[in-house]
């Protein structure tokens, strides 16, 4: 029997699990308590998780003692996985996993040490940006290392009418190298991109306001990390408009700040959110495994 058929058979025969979905008190996010992703998740439980992901935009699966293979398998339930351009930071034997880490071993960085230092939506610089990302904690620092998530549906709701008239129907350019070499935290962990890598991250154009393909809601789709300009506006006006949109994107009441606990698996919707890594002291070890699920062309 083919591997795919075996996987479907395992899912179909999986026993239901008892777990709770608890929304966080703020505007964004929920935690899932009692689910074990080391065991197969049946179709009914998966549907419940999928619904919660659409409703809350970021899910925190607590105490997940899973292998890379299990993280990859669960991620694939949501769609095709994307391979990051920085191949030197992919987990050996598992290219679907990007290592996010500040650890240096034998004089080399084991992972991407300053991922997420500017607000962004993962892979918005690709023709098919990410649907969502899963980040699984491997080693956590004793202080710092938080991840912030901002609701871009509510950001769009907050845009005043005059600014809406300027941006509705317009598109913006996104580039992986927009702020690639800028140092924001202590140290700069960004390797120089090869010609082959640069060819994989050419500038792309996406709507400033996108429609979520599953819930139908509109969301801002620009970020300080990857957006370079609004197409068709003079440079100075483009910069001014983008700064106004960025400010509206990160209103405090629309942000969830995730303080990591051991073995957390965090799954967020890049179509609904932007996120930011708050950073941690350079001498404290931090390592996480990220899988990234491919989405659709924004519209």
């Amino acid at each position: 029997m083919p591997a795919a058929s075996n996987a479907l058979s395992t899912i179909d025969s999986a026993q239901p699990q008892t777990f709770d979905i608890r929304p966080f008190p703020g505007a964004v996010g929920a935690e899932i308590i009692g689910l074990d992703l080391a065991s197969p998740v049946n179709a009914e439980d998966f549907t419940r998780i999928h619904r919660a992901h659409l409703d809350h935009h970021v899910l925190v699966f607590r105490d997940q003692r899973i292998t890379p293979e299990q993280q990859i398998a669960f991620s694939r339930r949501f769609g095709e996985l994307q391979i990051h351009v920085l191949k030197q930071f992919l987990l050996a034997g598992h290219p679907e996993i990007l290592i996010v880490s500040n650890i240096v071993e034998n004089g080399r960085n084991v992972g991407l040490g300053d991922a997420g230092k500017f607000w962004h939506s993962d892979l918005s610089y690709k023709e098919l940006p990410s649907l969502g990302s899963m980040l699984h904690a491997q080693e956590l620092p004793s202080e710092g290392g938080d991840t912030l998530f901002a609701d871009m549906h509510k950001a769009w709701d907050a845009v005043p009418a005059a600014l809406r008239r300027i941006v509705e129907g317009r598109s913006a350019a996104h580039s992986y190298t927009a702020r690639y070499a800028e140092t924001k935290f202590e140290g700069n962990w960004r390797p120089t991109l090869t010609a082959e890598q640069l060819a994989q991250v050419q500038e792309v154009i996406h709507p400033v306001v996108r429609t979520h393909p599953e819930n139908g809601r509109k969301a801002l789709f620009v970020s300080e990390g990857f957006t370079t300009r609004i197409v068709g506006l003079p440079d100075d006006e483009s910069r001014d408009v983008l700064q106004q949109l960025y400010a509206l994107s990160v209103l405090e009441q629309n942000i969830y700040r995730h303080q990591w606990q051991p073995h957390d698996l965090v799954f967020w919707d890049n179509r609904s959110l932007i996120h930011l890594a708050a950073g941690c002291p350079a001498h404290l070890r931090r390592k996480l495994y990220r899988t990234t699920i491919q989405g659709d062309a924004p519209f």
Side-chain angles (χ1 to χ4, degrees):
M1 182 182 293
S5 298
N6 283 330
L8 288 173
S9 177
T10 301
I11 291 166
D12 290 342
S13 62
Q15 294 299 307
Q17 297 192 49
T18 301
F19 59 95
D20 294 324
I21 300 173
R22 302 175 185 171
F24 291 125
V28 178
E31 63 181 348
I32 295 185
I33 308 294
L35 183 73
D36 180 10
L37 293 177
S39 300
V41 175
N42 70 19
E44 184 176 346
D45 288 345
F46 180 79
T47 297
R48 187 178 168 205
I49 294 165
H50 184 200
R51 182 71 257 166
H53 188 244
L54 294 177
D55 290 343
H56 303 291
H57 312 319
V58 57
L59 299 178
V60 179
F61 299 82
R62 299 293 190 187
D63 197 29
Q64 296 302 317
R65 299 167 189 268
I66 58 174
T67 64
E69 292 87 351
Q70 289 165 334
Q71 180 178 347
I72 291 167
F74 182 60
S75 302
R76 280 203 174 114
R77 297 281 295 274
F78 293 89
E80 181 181 346
L81 301 190
Q82 294 173 297
I83 308 300
H84 199 274
V85 65
L86 296 178
K87 292 186 167 44
Q88 60 268 51
F89 297 142
L90 303 181
L91 183 64
H94 301 289
E96 302 89 347
I97 288 181
L98 172 71
I99 303 171
V100 177
S101 179
N102 64 354
I103 298 170
V104 178
E105 292 180 351
N106 301 317
R108 62 178 292 272
N109 304 325
V110 304
L112 181 56
D114 62 356
K117 61 184 178 180
F118 296 102
W119 286 102
H120 68 288
S121 174
D122 285 337
L123 277 63
S124 74
Y125 53 85
K126 303 288 280 185
E127 291 287 351
L128 297 177
S130 166
L131 175 157
S133 303
M134 293 191 193
L135 201 56
H136 187 217
Q138 306 295 310
E139 291 187 58
L140 297 174
S142 56
E143 62 178 279
D146 295 354
T147 306
L148 283 68
F149 298 91
D151 188 328
M152 296 296 272
H153 298 299
K154 291 186 176 177
W156 174 240
D157 292 342
V159 175
L163 190 54
R164 283 186 179 228
R165 286 193 290 271
I166 295 173
V167 300
E168 280 186 308
R170 289 197 178 273
S171 297
H174 295 243
S175 172
Y176 180 59
T177 59
R179 307 184 76 164
Y180 184 82
E182 291 185 38
T183 301
K184 189 163 184 177
F185 305 135
E186 183 180 345
N188 184 3
W189 302 85
R190 298 273 161 157
T192 301
L193 295 174
T194 66
E196 179 186 1
Q197 289 172 323
L198 285 169
Q200 296 177 47
V201 290
Q202 296 295 308
E203 179 183 85
V204 298
I205 305 297
H206 293 309
V208 172
V209 183
R210 69 176 298 176
T211 301
H212 195 292
E214 294 188 81
N215 65 27
R217 295 179 63 193
K218 292 189 179 300
L220 275 180
F221 195 60
V222 293
S223 71
E224 63 172 4
F226 296 137
T227 306
T228 58
R229 60 191 168 87
I230 296 178
V231 177
L233 290 184
D235 288 347
D236 57 347
E237 185 180 1
S238 173
R239 283 191 296 270
D240 177 64
V241 168
L242 285 173
Q243 289 304 316
Q244 292 182 64
L245 296 178
Y246 297 158
L248 292 167
S249 297
V250 293
L251 298 175
E252 185 176 353
Q253 65 267 29
N254 298 332
I255 291 176
Y256 163 63
R257 186 182 190 104
H258 182 65
Q259 297 177 306
W260 290 85
Q261 297 179 21
H263 309 291
D264 275 353
L265 175 74
V266 178
F267 176 32
W268 65 91
D269 192 333
N270 282 301
R271 303 162 299 183
S272 297
L273 304 173
I274 54 174
H275 60 284
L276 172 77
C280 70
H283 67 281
L284 298 178
R285 291 168 64 98
R286 183 175 187 262
K287 182 167 73 172
L288 306 99
Y289 287 167
R290 193 185 91 180
T291 45
T292 308
I293 301 144
Q294 181 173 285
D296 303 315
F299 62 91

